[in-house]
Amino acid sequence: MHDETIAIHGGYQADGTRSVAVPIYQTVANDFIDADHANAIMDLEIPGFHYNRINNPTNDVLEKRLAALEDGTAALVVASGMAAVSYAILTVAVAGSNFVVAPQLYGATYTYFAHVLSTLGIEARFAVDDQADSIAALIDNRTCCVFLETIGNPAGNVVDLEAVAGVAHRAGVPLIVDNTVATPLMLKPIHHGADVVVHSLTKFVGGHGTTLGGAIIDSGNFPWSENAKRFPTFNEPEPAFHNAVFARDFPERAFVVRARSIQLRNTGATLSPFNVFLLLQGLETLAVRLERHEANARAVAAYLAADARVQWVNFAGFPDNPYHHLVQRYLNGRVPSIITFGVVGGYDAGLAFFDSLQLFKRLLNLGDAKSLVIHPASTTHRQLSSSELAAAGIRPETIRLSIGLEHVDDLIDDIDQALSKATA
Ligand code: PLP
């Protein structure tokens, strides 16, 4: 089936009630038929639900739908995008591991990698840029993965996934990517060599600024058992989970089974089934929303680029954008509705513009039906030093717009009046 169809029907078959909407199974647990049934479910010998910190029938539909959209073998949904990012790293890293990252990252991801994981003895190695050679230079025999955002937030860089997957795989390590900004409807990283995909579903997938959520999708492709020394937690009996050997016992979905049974089971960032219901509503309309987001963003970006009150504009959709060839190659020429730019007059003028907008919402989110604005250096990326900001692709004056679904003339009118006030 095509993506538009999977986004509406994937992973769901109505039960005897013939409910057309996915039911919200608001339950803490599911009762066992008898002791044998309980044992078989607990040992993952048969599929089934037991305790809803770990799995739930409503969540299962979203997991199947996302796995199908990303062309993976299995998915896990969790309470937020940050839960997905942290569970992904903790599923593969042990104390003493390092992992290599491209520096154009969402601020909380950057800070978590740079300052939190280090307290657990897990070192994030930040490459100077997102180029495969720069990443390759930092990989050694303690490296457990390469991590990057397929399209950096807010830098807007588009990574050459096949080149990076090549260097990761030649070194024997998996490539984990955050595909939040692109969504699986614009880019399927697994088709280009990614082994694991994470998402903040809070953004375009939910799409209405109502619901936090995250996901991890397993490609099923990474050969964990080929390097047992580098990946001990996939190849040695796991005492925290029935002595399972994940790579041997679950070869098609070892990553997601381990993320669920070790990370989610023990630390419990569970996504509520009600939130899953809202995310499923969002996913149903994602394809049509993305078309309108993109059309509006192209018009706003063109307006900004032609306006003398604007100093610079960074938009992946411009033909002279340095990532244009990668947009063509990986995104089929399509682009998400994220624009960054600077107002003539720099930092102060940028903040005056921010304060003067009337229709745009000043808030920490993106991918909403509503148009949003943020000044990353003082908000999403506030914890970063000036050199870290530069590496993440953020200037002090950078304003980020997430273009929504309103009538584009109303958005341009609002930008026009705010630019006039900011540059008066
Ligand atoms: N990844 C990216 C690219 C993001 O932009 C964000 C949030 O803005 C996250 C992850 C974290 O997601 P959440 O806010 O759902 O925890």
Side-chain angles (χ1 to χ4, degrees), residues 232-255:
T233 55
F234 282 86
N235 289 289
E236 290 169 13
E238 174 55 70
F241 194 71
H242 313 291
N243 283 322
V245 177
F246 291 99
R248 180 196 66 197
D249 300 347
F250 310 101
E252 304 297 317
R253 53 194 170 107
F255 196 91

Side-chain angles (χ1 to χ4, degrees), residues 80-82 106 149 153 178 180 200 202-203 212-213:
S80 69
M82 282 313 295
Y106 164 59
E149 292 178 6
N153 170 20
D178 180 334
T180 298
S200 168
T202 315
K203 315 295 169 190
L212 285 147

Side-chain angles (χ1 to χ4, degrees), residues 89-391:
I89 298 298
L90 294 173
T91 292
V92 68
V94 293
S97 297
N98 67 65
F99 64 106
V100 180
V101 300
Q104 296 94 338
L105 295 172
Y106 164 59
T109 303
Y110 197 109
T111 308
Y112 176 68
F113 286 178
H115 305 300
V116 180
L117 284 174
S118 53
T119 65
L120 304 177
I122 299 167
E123 180 199 358
R125 296 185 169 179
F126 288 83
V128 287
D129 54 34
D130 60 1
Q131 299 299 299
D133 289 350
S134 314
I135 288 168
L138 299 181
I139 298 177
D140 66 16
N141 61 5
R142 303 303 297 269
T143 303
C144 66
C145 68
V146 171
F147 182 100
L148 49 83
E149 292 178 6
T150 55
I151 302 181
N153 170 20
N157 61 308
V158 179
V159 174
D160 187 344
L161 290 174
E162 287 173 17
V164 177
V167 303
H169 293 162
R170 278 193 289 284
V173 301
L175 172 62
I176 304 180
V177 302
D178 180 334
N179 199 31
T180 298
V181 172
T183 84
L185 270 59
M186 282 199 182
L187 170 62
K188 293 195 195 304
I190 290 173
H191 290 179
H192 303 290
D195 300 288
V196 174
V197 181
V198 302
H199 278 280
S200 168
L201 305 174
T202 315
K203 315 295 169 190
F204 288 104
V205 170
H208 298 80
T210 60
T211 312
L212 285 147
I216 301 176
I217 296 105
D218 194 339
S219 70
N221 291 334
F222 192 75
W224 301 104
S225 51
E226 279 178 18
N227 192 343
K229 234 174 137 190
R230 198 191 286 260
F231 303 110
T233 55
F234 282 86
N235 289 289
E236 290 169 13
E238 174 55 70
F241 194 71
H242 313 291
N243 283 322
V245 177
F246 291 99
R248 180 196 66 197
D249 300 347
F250 310 101
E252 304 297 317
R253 53 194 170 107
F255 196 91
V256 151
V257 177
R258 186 170 158 73
R260 186 190 302 280
S261 54
I262 301 302
Q263 297 306 325
L264 183 62
R265 180 161 169 264
N266 290 296
T267 65
T270 305
L271 185 54
S272 110
F274 181 70
N275 281 3
V276 170
F277 178 83
L278 294 175
L279 293 168
L280 286 166
Q281 301 309 297
L283 197 48
E284 288 194 0
T285 58
L286 180 61
V288 286
R289 282 188 288 109
L290 286 180
E291 286 172 16
R292 175 68 171 265
H293 276 298
E294 180 174 351
N296 278 0
R298 286 186 182 277
V300 170
Y303 171 84
L304 289 170
D307 197 300
R309 297 165 295 179
V310 173
Q311 202 160 37
W312 58 268
V313 185
N314 175 26
F315 178 59
F318 289 153
D320 62 351
N321 183 286
Y323 294 96
H324 184 68
H325 63 295
L326 296 174
V327 168
Q328 300 304 322
R329 182 162 159 204
Y330 291 116
L331 295 154
N332 243 333
R334 299 192 59 195
V335 284
S337 61
I338 307 298
I339 303 168
T340 52
F341 74 104
V343 179
V344 169
Y347 181 87
D348 291 336
L351 284 191
F353 170 82
F354 179 81
D355 289 348
S356 303
L357 285 164
Q358 292 173 356
L359 185 56
F360 279 75
K361 300 291 173 196
R362 287 173 279 273
L363 57 77
L364 296 162
N365 194 18
L366 59 82
D368 194 323
K370 296 168 272 302
S371 288
L372 315 175
V373 61
I374 205 71
H375 175 242
S378 64
T379 55
T380 51
H381 292 69
R382 188 185 181 85
Q383 315 298 333
L384 275 63
S385 66
S386 47
S387 60
E388 287 173 334
L389 279 176

Side-chain angles (χ1 to χ4, degrees), residues 30-32 37 41 47-52 55-58 60:
N30 309 72
D31 76 342
F32 299 121
H37 182 231
I41 286 193
F49 303 97
H50 44 89
Y51 191 63
N52 287 241
N55 55 16
N56 168 283
T58 309
D60 188 61

